[in-house]
Amino acid sequence: MAQTLLVTGSSGLIGSEVCAYFAALGWSIHGLDNNQRAVFFGPQGDTRWNQRRLESSLPSFRHHELDIRDRAGVLALLREVRPNAIVHTAAQPSHDRAAAIPFDDFDTNAVGTLNLLEAARQACPQSPFVHMSTNKVYGDAPNRLDLRELETRWDYADPAYAEGIAETFTIDQSKHSLFGASKVAADVLVQEYGRYFDMPTCCLRGGCLTGPNHSGVELHGFLSYLVRCNLEGREYRIFGYKGKQVRDNIHSHDVACFIHAFISTPRRGEVYNLGGGRANSCSILEAFRLTERLTGRPQTHTYVEQHRSGDHICYFSDLRKMRAHFPGWDITRSLEQTLAEIVEAWRRREPRA
Ligand SMILES: NC(=O)c1ccc[n+]([C@@H]2O[C@H](COP(=O)([O-])OP(=O)(O)OC[C@H]3O[C@@H](n4cnc5c(N)ncnc54)[C@H](O)[C@@H]3O)[C@@H](O)[C@H]2O)c1
């Protein structure tokens, strides 16, 4: 019998990648999504195109139109499917958006995660549960590190952070944004179901997760949105830090590979910082240059002095724990390759003259 996977947020960037990845391995896939991204971000965030893509390209895929806030519905689905593994990617994913919709944000990110964890405990407690967390659980504490200013980016001045931020970094007593706070609640709950109930759970604290299937908008999906602006000749707005703020970028395929590695040999209540690491990091200014090289089009932009509240000045993930626990896993896509795929995807999705 085929193994069964439940993916929440299946029409989103990471969810859809995970669906395709495991379907190719012969798993039977149950996707849960209600296109809430279009409610959060408007028509530009609509993910129905991705749902249709999965439905038409993956014979083993079945879509469930369900809201993770629907506690009884989630429990009924888990009891019906009893998946061999759960990958939870559904979320209100934007730092900035959360302030305008605090209840929707918390009900989705924190309570929705609790609904899934408790349903999993009742229906399939032995099944690995992978939760997409975020580096925003560290709040703006990384901004307290000594930084040095280079020509096009910020970098850590202290050699202790040469490999980036590790999982031992404090999540306490800093500014998180309401999004970061709701994700902390979910992150700690996922750890607790691992430690308290002995379930095989893990939190993946993502840096910038990206790839060709992102429906990038200004408030979420940095590289996807930046490329879209470039191709459409739209102005990209830089918020503070001279455009030298650094993000580490990981292709959604490499995220799916890691999720597979964890599901194959799960641990309990684990936490990993999942990003592109130093090698796949870039500042906004550097991303402009890389994109211009790929598209041949200039990136127009405006500069807004005020940085986004709680935004990281320099963040990249220390990947050493991931590599130590799962030596077969590593980053396979460079930043340049990933950007090239994003450019191609936007060109295919929205043909231009
Ligand atoms: N993309 C990133 O850069 C990034 C970085 C760090 C962490 N993450 C985390 O990774 C996860 C996946 O991110 P993504 O970029 O794929 O997001 P996404 O917005 O592309 O996908 C999320 C999907 O979840 C669905 N969804 C949202 N609320 C829902 C609800 N209440 N019920 C059912 N479905 C719902 C949306 O419609 C969307 O299709 C999220 O938890 C996010 O916080 C993402």
Side-chain angles (χ1 to χ4, degrees):
M1 271 258 289
Q3 299 262 78
T4 303
L5 182 70
L6 177 73
V7 181
T8 73
S10 45
S11 311
L13 168 77
I14 299 303
S16 61
E17 186 82 38
V18 169
C19 290
Y21 184 97
F22 280 83
L25 297 176
W27 287 55
S28 162
I29 314 293
H30 290 263
L32 180 167
D33 206 298
N34 66 347
N35 197 26
Q36 191 69 20
R37 189 172 170 92
V39 178
F40 293 144
F41 302 119
Q44 303 242 322
D46 199 297
T47 56
R48 290 285 180 214
W49 65 274
N50 212 7
Q51 177 190 329
R52 285 191 292 274
R53 186 179 68 84
L54 295 175
E55 285 172 321
S56 62
S57 62
L58 306 179
S60 69
F61 176 81
R62 187 169 150 214
H63 177 78
H64 299 269
E65 188 74 18
L66 185 65
D67 192 316
I68 58 167
R69 290 171 290 187
D70 175 355
R71 185 169 298 159
V74 166
L75 180 58
L77 180 64
L78 267 100
R79 284 203 166 126
E80 180 202 324
V81 174
R82 292 194 192 278
N84 299 101
I86 298 166
V87 180
H88 173 34
T89 81
Q92 189 301 103
S94 165
H95 190 89
D96 299 299
R97 185 80 185 104
I101 50 168
F103 293 111
D104 285 340
D105 178 82
F106 197 84
D107 287 344
T108 299
N109 291 351
V111 184
T113 301
L114 179 59
N115 291 342
L116 281 156
L117 285 165
E118 188 49 34
R121 187 168 80 90
Q122 293 188 30
C124 51
Q126 305 305 326
S127 301
F129 186 110
V130 177
H131 167 65
M132 294 310 300
S133 186
T134 168
N135 63 17
K136 296 294 187 308
V137 300
Y138 299 117
D140 64 357
N143 291 355
R144 292 185 210 135
L145 297 175
D146 284 340
L147 297 176
R148 56 196 183 114
E149 184 175 358
L150 305 179
E151 199 184 328
T152 56
R153 65 157 72 192
W154 298 98
D155 199 356
Y156 301 124
D158 183 346
Y161 292 93
E163 296 285 334
I165 305 281
E167 293 79 0
T168 47
F169 205 83
T170 182
I171 65 166
D172 197 16
Q173 300 186 57
S174 63
K175 189 195 270 186
H176 291 79
S177 81
L178 293 186
F179 162 73
S182 65
K183 293 293 268 191
V184 165
D187 187 301
V188 174
L189 280 165
V190 171
Q191 292 186 57
E192 209 53 42
Y193 271 71
R195 295 206 173 85
Y196 195 92
F197 294 120
D198 207 25
M199 283 167 58
T201 66
C202 82
C203 299
L204 304 182
R205 295 177 173 166
C208 279
L209 318 178
T210 191
N213 295 320
H214 220 180
S215 306
V217 292
E218 186 176 31
L219 293 182
H220 184 245
F222 156 57
L223 284 182
S224 172
Y225 178 70
L226 186 148
V227 167
R228 184 175 196 173
C229 286
N230 177 286
L231 288 172
E232 293 179 354
R234 232 194 280 174
E235 256 179 3
Y236 184 94
R237 283 196 291 173
I238 298 173
F239 293 93
Y241 303 137
K242 305 183 188 176
K244 296 184 179 184
Q245 51 271 59
V246 171
R247 278 94 186 78
D248 67 335
N249 307 283
I250 180 168
H251 193 291
S252 47
H253 174 76
D254 287 336
V255 176
C257 289
F258 186 80
I259 290 172
H260 182 218
F262 182 84
I263 287 174
S264 303
T265 46
R267 305 164 76 105
R268 285 165 206 278
E270 271 297 356
V271 167
Y272 299 98
N273 286 351
L274 170 82
R278 179 184 278 283
N280 272 3
S281 69
C282 66
S283 68
I284 295 180
L285 296 181
E286 290 164 354
F288 284 171
R289 299 296 91 81
L290 288 167
T291 305
E292 284 170 340
R293 232 180 280 153
L294 285 164
T295 64
R297 302 170 72 118
Q299 183 87 49
T300 57
H301 65 271
T302 49
Y303 185 74
V304 181
E305 197 59 52
Q306 182 57 45
H307 61 77
R308 288 179 157 141
S309 186
D311 201 14
H312 290 149
I313 306 172
C314 179
Y315 186 96
F316 53 87
S317 317
D318 183 338
L319 306 180
R320 285 178 294 184
K321 182 177 175 187
M322 296 175 73
R323 288 176 173 140
H325 284 192
F326 300 96
W329 177 87
D330 211 340
I331 300 280
T332 66
R333 308 272 167 95
S334 69
L335 177 59
E336 288 77 6
Q337 278 173 301
T338 303
L339 261 172
E341 284 186 38
I342 297 173
V343 168
E344 271 320 296
W346 277 121
R347 282 191 170 136
R348 271 200 314 273
R349 237 189 289 170
E350 306 206 348
R352 283 165 195 81

